[in-house]
Amino acid sequence: DAGVTQSPTHLIKTRGQQVTLRCSPKSGHDTVSWYQQALGQGPQFIFQYYEEEERQRGNFPDRFSGHQFPNYSSELNVNALLLGDSALYLCASSLEGGNDEKLFFGSGTQLSVL
Amino acid sequence: AQRVTQPEKLLSVFKGAPVELKCNYSYSGSPELFWYVQYSRQRLQLLLRHISRESIKGFTADLNKGETSFHLKKPFAQEEDSAMYYCALISTGNQFYFGTGTSLTVIP
């Protein structure tokens, strides 16, 4: 089991561009959450997907959107990129109704906006 | 509002010394709290959760509802404990709130 995989590992964009980040959850997991981790900060919750729908959302603008596919993989889209969007984006998967609340994290995508 | 506070960004201790990483929280309901750890060049991973009341790698954490704290403790620090530690709580909506993290360095 490869665990949670994210692609790409690094990305450089310019202001105003759009970006798509991808995540494959751990085998057997059906819930995907996305987090933004700015330098020197803890992960901040963006949103969570379950059954192909956004179930929870943190305090992020509509420029941040996502999608979950039938195979439980997920995408995070960010439109009209700002310099402040530069961060490590983490995907975490879990199993709805599982016996524990473990989040399994991917290694993240490092996004730099120039 | 939910909030997790880790007052120390950096903490250094000598090998063999006790270590305590502080975590305070605010949450209106009955909290579930966790400690996550990130070793150098590795992904964030669960260290322990208060519900399981277990000791992982010699670390323990007790939930103190009166003081709204969930401090992480180890009686004898080891060099391999050097890492970034994040305290987190989970809300009823399965949303995790993380603190800003404490970087622990164990000096040989």
Side-chain angles (χ1 to χ4, degrees):
Chain A
D1 180 12
V4 179
T5 58
Q6 292 186 244
S7 63
T9 55
H10 295 84
L11 204 51
I12 299 175
K13 291 286 188 178
T14 57
R15 279 181 300 174
Q17 284 189 309
Q18 178 264 344
V19 67
T20 297
L21 311 181
R22 295 176 176 83
C23 172
S24 292
K26 179 179 169 62
S27 177
H29 283 184
D30 56 8
T31 303
V32 173
S33 303
W34 287 92
Y35 289 80
Q36 181 195 66
Q37 187 173 19
L39 194 63
Q41 301 295 316
Q44 298 290 313
F45 177 76
I46 302 175
F47 42 52
Q48 182 183 84
Y49 276 85
Y50 172 68
E51 292 189 337
E52 302 179 47
E53 290 192 359
E54 184 183 291
R55 180 165 65 174
Q56 286 279 325
R57 189 178 183 91
N59 189 25
F60 279 81
D62 292 344
R63 298 188 296 110
F64 289 76
S65 63
H67 190 78
Q68 185 179 34
F69 300 93
N71 67 353
Y72 307 120
S73 66
S74 177
E75 288 181 349
L76 164 65
N77 300 293
V78 187
N79 295 321
L81 284 167
L82 304 174
L83 296 179
D85 295 331
S86 295
L88 179 68
Y89 288 85
L90 296 169
C91 171
S93 73
S94 56
L95 178 61
E96 173 70 11
N99 289 331
D100 61 32
E101 301 290 351
K102 279 185 186 178
L103 283 182
F104 285 84
F105 282 88
S107 298
T109 295
Q110 184 66 54
L111 173 64
S112 298
V113 182
L114 306 178
Chain B
Q2 299 89 338
R3 181 187 292 272
V4 176
T5 303
Q6 294 180 251
E8 304 141 327
K9 289 194 83 70
L10 303 171
L11 184 63
S12 295
V13 299
F14 285 101
K15 178 182 174 181
V19 61
E20 180 179 69
L21 290 85
K22 292 184 168 50
C23 171
N24 290 90
Y25 67 89
S26 62
Y27 185 64
S28 55
S30 183
E32 277 195 62
L33 286 140
F34 303 76
W35 277 97
Y36 278 80
V37 61
Q38 187 167 29
Y39 300 103
S40 178
R41 297 188 182 86
Q42 295 187 27
R43 62 189 64 192
L44 203 56
Q45 58 187 286
L46 178 67
L47 179 62
L48 57 81
R49 55 190 301 221
H50 89 272
I51 282 183
S52 59
R53 303 183 68 82
E54 57 192 345
S55 172
I56 303 294
K57 299 185 179 182
F59 284 98
T60 59
D62 290 319
L63 177 61
N64 186 324
K65 292 186 179 180
E67 296 182 358
T68 60
S69 68
F70 188 57
H71 303 327
L72 183 67
K73 300 177 184 179
K74 185 170 182 176
F76 308 104
Q78 303 298 315
E79 289 179 65
E80 56 266 28
D81 297 329
S82 294
M84 195 74 182
Y85 291 80
Y86 293 95
C87 183
L89 70 79
I90 188 171
S91 69
T92 52
N94 291 333
Q95 179 176 332
F96 273 76
Y97 293 85
F98 286 85
T100 51
T102 297
S103 177
L104 174 66
T105 300
V106 179
I107 304 166

